[in-house]
């Protein structure tokens, strides 16, 4: 009797605690974030078992912004056991706009709190304390690999259902206190927290922290950073910043001049507009992964920059004596001296991955650029690149380009190739509302290959492309609502964003590596979705 009573009084072990780790992870996978938090609080054993997967899902990629409450949270995390798990720090471009810019109905108290937070944020940014706080946090993130600046939130938060997004840390707190959301950086002159300032502050913080990060990425959908000012490194920052830049192996840029205007087609301005970026690229000689995306701006400036990038390393830049594509000849001695003082072209001897997007180029220039890096290049992506071609000669130009690239003289030996949203522009008809575009097998707008036989892929998928021409359609207005077909907008929606997809692919690859999953040796796919 005594024995029976003693045995019956012993606490029973929860069946949940007896589950193998694989099953416990499978159960937790189906919970929302709030439910997962409750499960982790049940007992120490469950918390210890779930912590590695929790840290990987919620902290391997973590997003903050340069507000005081978000940076304070990042500093606290950098001093906690979660710090080693942050490998990719995303910095959102959200800022606290003045309350009068938010057209919402809310209480006077909420408006007061909004204005107070705006004042604190403005002082934080003006005094540079945001860069100081970011540097303090970076010192504790010893496992950090990349810093990503983004103007949109990732929608891959599948745990919390369709439409759930990964927001910057602190967004929910701001909304609860003010009744409005943080505003993302916009491309207007009065935006005192614009993306190029966040980029400069981030580099300043990386330098102050002596960070060992390998990559800096701009993931911008709404605009790019301006050519001038963004990439200037003053002498007083060089002792701390240049060592950080020299360690970079990945640099993803989005360039656009929405903030400060264009070069106005002036030959001198066009040739000097990119000087800051040219000098900046000389500070990152160890790049293995370089992405250069345009976003609006002066196509002539982009073309001249690509001409410079395609030149052999160290070649002196000369000023043409005759009229050329950049405009009339420059005869003023002072202007000619400035042009010829351009930073010399860079070499990037370790470059294995090159991605170009949303730029206009002549096929001959693109061929020269690829031949320059052919000795090391393994991965090439061309996304929304518009090539010059006379009307009705697009397919001829396209085939000739790829036959040259796949020849032995081309020198390329790719393992991965991606082409999407390929367009063509007749230089005699610049500014077409909808230029001709290439469509690949099955009418798809994208083609992608990974494996050793990329030349076969080019012959079978790229050279067999069809050229699609868009005929302007009559716009029908219905009941004053302005309803009409807009194929271009539809295409933009369907095609999605290459940068976001690339980050998603990298996340998936990292997860596969950590879980021990392998990959097929060769994959050939064609899609119309985002690249």
């Amino acid at each position: 009797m005594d024995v029976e009573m003693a045995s019956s009084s012993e606490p029973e072990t929860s069946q949940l605690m007896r589950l193998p780790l694989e099953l416990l992870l499978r159960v937790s996978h189906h919970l929302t974030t709030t439910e997962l938090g409750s499960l982790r609080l049940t007992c120490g054993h469950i918390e210890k078992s779930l912590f590695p997967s929790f840290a990987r899902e919620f902290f391997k990629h973590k997003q903050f912004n340069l507000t005081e409450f978000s940076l304070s949270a990042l500093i606290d995390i950098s001093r906690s056991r979660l710090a080693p798990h942050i490998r990719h720090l995303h910095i959102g471009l959200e800022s606290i706009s003045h309350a009068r810019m938010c057209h919402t109905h809310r209480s006077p108290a909420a408006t007061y709190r909004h204005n107070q937070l705006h004042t604190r944020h403005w002082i934080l940014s003006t005094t540079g304390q945001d860069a100081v706080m970011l540097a303090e946090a970076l010192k504790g993130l010893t496992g950090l690999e990349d810093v990503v600046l983004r103007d949109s939130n990732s929608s891959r938060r599948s745990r919390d259902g369709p439409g759930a997004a990964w927001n910057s840390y602190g967004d929910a707190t701001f909304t609860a206190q003010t009744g409005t959301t943080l505003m993302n950086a916009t491309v207007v002159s009065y935006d005192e927290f614009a993306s190029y300032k966040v980029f400069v502050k981030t580099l300043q913080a990386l330098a102050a922290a002596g960070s060992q990060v390998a990559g800096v990425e701009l993931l911008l959908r709404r605009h790019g950073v301006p050519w001038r000012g963004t990439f200037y490194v003053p002498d007083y920052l060089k002792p701390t910043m240049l060592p950080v830049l020299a360690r970079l192996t990945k640099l993803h840029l989005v360039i656009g001049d929405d903030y400060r205007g264009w070069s106005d087609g002036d030959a001198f301005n066009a040739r000097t507009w990119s000087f800051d970026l040219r000098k900046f690229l000389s500070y990152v000689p160890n790049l293995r992964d370089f992405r250069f995306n345009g976003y609006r701006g002066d196509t002539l400036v982009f073309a001249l920059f690509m001409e410079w990038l395609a030149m052999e390393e160290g070649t002196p830049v000369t000023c043409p004596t005759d009229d050329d594509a950049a405009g009339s000849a420059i005869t003023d001695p002072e202007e000619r001296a400035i042009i010829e003082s351009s930073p010399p072209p860079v070499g990037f001897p370790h470059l294995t991955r090159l991605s170009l997007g949303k730029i206009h180029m002549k096929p001959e220039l693109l061929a020269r650029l690829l031949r320059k890096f052919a000795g090391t290049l393994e991965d090439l992506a061309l996304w929304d690149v518009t090539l010059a071609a006379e009307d009705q000669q697009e397919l001829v130009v396209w085939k000739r380009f790829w036959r040259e690239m796949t020849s032995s003289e081309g020198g390329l030996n790719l393992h991965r190739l991606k082409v999407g949203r390929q367009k063509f522009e007749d230089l005699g008809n610049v500014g077409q509302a909808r230029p001709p575009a290439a469509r690949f097998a099955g009418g798809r707008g994208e083609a992608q290959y990974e494996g050793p036989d990329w030349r076969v892929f080019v012959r079978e998928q790229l050279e067999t492309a069809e050229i699609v021409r868009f005929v302007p359609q009559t716009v029908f207005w219905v009941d004053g609502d302005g309803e009409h077909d807009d194929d271009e907008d539809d295409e933009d929606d369907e095609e999605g964003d290459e940068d976001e997809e690339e980050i998603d692919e990298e996340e998936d690859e990292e997860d596969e590596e950590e879980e021990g999953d392998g990959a097929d040796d060769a994959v050939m796919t064609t899609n119309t979705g985002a690249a």
Side-chain angles (χ1 to χ4, degrees):
M1 185 69 173
D2 292 338
V3 174
E4 292 178 1
M5 291 180 63
S7 62
S8 63
S9 64
E10 293 179 358
E12 293 186 6
T13 302
S14 168
Q15 294 185 3
L16 192 63
M17 294 180 63
R18 293 200 298 267
L19 284 178
L21 179 59
E22 304 83 47
L23 293 181
L24 182 61
L25 292 174
R26 181 64 61 89
V27 169
S28 67
H29 175 74
H30 295 281
L31 303 179
T32 65
T33 300
T34 302
E35 292 167 344
L36 177 62
S38 299
L39 177 60
R40 292 177 57 236
L41 290 173
T42 54
C43 71
H45 173 76
I46 296 294
E47 154 61 16
K48 184 177 181 180
S49 299
L50 293 178
F51 180 78
S53 64
F54 163 77
R56 182 170 59 249
E57 177 181 350
F58 288 90
F59 286 89
K60 184 173 71 174
H61 295 260
K62 195 64 178 174
Q63 185 171 325
F64 298 81
N65 54 45
L66 297 191
T67 58
E68 185 175 1
F69 43 81
S70 190
L71 289 172
S72 295
L74 178 58
I75 291 175
D76 290 340
I77 292 172
S78 72
R79 297 168 179 171
S80 73
R81 60 174 178 155
L82 290 166
H85 296 276
I86 298 182
R87 291 164 54 184
H88 308 276
L89 176 63
H90 291 238
I91 299 178
L93 301 185
E94 303 97 337
S95 64
I96 303 176
S97 64
H98 196 280
R100 63 182 174 81
M101 296 175 62
C102 301
H103 305 291
T104 59
H105 299 287
R106 55 184 175 177
S107 68
T111 301
Y112 171 80
R113 288 192 293 270
H114 189 140
N115 284 329
Q116 287 294 103
L117 289 172
H118 175 268
T119 299
R120 290 171 59 181
H121 184 48
W122 183 83
I123 294 296
L124 185 80
S125 177
T126 302
T127 60
Q129 188 63 22
D130 49 0
V132 173
M133 294 179 70
L134 180 57
E136 179 64 26
L138 288 170
K139 292 176 182 178
L141 303 180
T142 55
L144 193 63
E145 299 174 8
D146 300 321
V147 176
V148 182
L149 276 62
R150 58 188 307 151
D151 62 0
S152 59
N153 297 323
S154 171
S155 59
R156 285 173 55 90
R157 191 169 184 167
S158 56
R159 177 181 290 277
D160 294 309
W166 291 105
N167 299 317
S168 294
Y169 204 102
D171 283 16
T173 301
F174 177 81
T175 300
Q177 293 182 5
T178 67
T180 59
T181 58
L182 291 168
M183 293 188 67
N184 224 307
T186 54
V187 290
V188 290
S189 60
Y190 54 78
D191 178 18
E192 67 266 50
F193 310 112
S195 58
Y196 67 93
K197 294 185 179 180
V198 177
F199 179 77
V200 171
K201 288 175 179 291
T202 300
L203 292 183
Q204 181 183 353
L206 289 170
S211 177
Q212 302 291 316
V213 297
V216 173
E217 306 176 44
L218 294 180
L219 180 54
L220 305 178
R221 292 181 173 182
R222 297 179 173 90
H223 56 280
V225 296
W227 293 94
R228 298 190 299 177
T230 303
F231 303 99
Y232 175 70
V233 180
D235 290 339
Y236 56 83
L237 283 180
K238 286 182 179 179
T240 55
M241 188 173 292
L242 295 193
V244 172
L245 295 177
R247 286 192 288 268
L248 293 183
T249 59
K250 177 194 293 186
L251 181 64
H252 292 183
L253 300 178
V254 183
I255 308 293
D257 273 332
D258 295 286
Y259 291 107
R260 300 182 179 179
W262 295 2
S263 69
D264 299 323
D266 179 82
F268 175 75
N269 281 342
R271 292 190 176 279
T272 58
W273 209 257
S274 62
F275 272 21
D276 285 347
L277 178 57
R278 296 183 188 186
K279 188 63 176 178
F280 185 86
L281 292 181
S282 71
Y283 301 143
V284 289
N286 295 308
L287 287 189
R288 299 178 59 85
D289 180 352
F290 181 48
R291 171 177 292 163
F292 184 81
N293 281 1
Y295 188 92
R296 301 175 184 169
D298 194 326
T299 57
L300 178 57
V301 176
F302 282 102
L304 291 172
F305 171 77
M306 299 308 295
E307 287 275 4
W308 173 86
L309 188 62
M311 295 170 64
E312 291 301 318
E313 182 179 12
T315 303
V317 176
T318 59
C319 183
T321 56
D322 301 318
D323 295 354
D324 61 8
S328 58
I330 296 175
T331 57
D332 182 89
E334 185 177 10
E335 292 181 3
R336 292 180 61 85
I338 292 174
I339 291 173
E340 294 180 351
S341 69
S342 164
V346 293
F348 294 158
H350 310 293
L351 192 69
T352 60
R353 188 178 190 184
L354 176 65
S355 176
L356 302 175
K358 299 183 179 180
I359 56 176
H360 296 240
M361 298 183 70
K362 292 183 177 180
E364 300 82 6
L365 173 57
L366 180 57
R368 289 206 314 272
L369 180 67
L370 296 183
R371 283 197 297 267
K372 174 181 177 179
F373 301 115
T376 57
L377 201 61
E378 301 174 0
D379 186 336
L380 174 65
L382 302 175
W383 185 257
D384 204 353
V385 172
T386 301
L387 293 180
E390 294 183 1
D391 187 36
Q392 305 298 325
Q393 296 298 308
E394 296 87 0
L395 191 56
V396 174
V397 170
W398 182 247
K399 288 183 177 181
R400 183 169 60 235
F401 169 77
W402 282 111
R403 286 172 183 170
E404 180 180 349
M405 289 297 95
T406 54
S407 68
S408 58
E409 290 78 10
L412 285 174
N413 188 22
L414 301 177
H415 183 74
R416 186 172 184 263
L417 176 61
K418 186 182 210 175
V419 178
R421 286 199 199 180
Q422 179 60 51
K423 300 182 180 70
F424 301 90
E425 181 178 55
D426 183 357
L427 295 182
N429 186 22
V430 177
Q432 296 165 281
R434 193 83 183 274
R439 288 292 180 266
F440 307 109
R444 297 177 172 88
E446 173 195 345
Q448 176 176 330
Y449 174 79
E450 186 170 353
D453 299 321
W454 73 280
R455 290 181 175 83
V456 175
F457 165 76
V458 168
R459 289 196 301 269
E460 295 179 353
Q461 298 289 323
L462 298 187
E463 292 185 10
T464 58
E466 296 181 352
I467 303 301
V468 178
R469 303 180 188 282
F470 301 93
V471 180
Q473 298 181 357
T474 303
V475 176
F476 297 96
W477 301 99
V478 181
D479 297 330
D481 292 332
E483 296 180 3
H484 64 281
D485 293 333
D486 192 336
D487 293 337
E488 187 167 3
D489 290 342
D490 292 341
E491 183 189 61
D492 289 342
D493 292 339
E494 291 172 3
E495 294 285 2
D497 183 87
E498 184 212 5
D499 293 338
E500 183 69 59
E501 187 66 19
E502 287 285 353
I503 284 188
D504 293 343
E505 289 177 3
E506 291 170 3
E507 291 180 20
D508 293 339
E509 290 172 2
E510 291 168 358
D511 290 340
E512 288 178 358
E513 290 173 1
E514 292 175 359
E515 294 169 6
D517 294 336
D520 294 335
D521 292 333
V523 180
M524 182 184 297
T525 60
T526 53
N527 299 267
T528 36

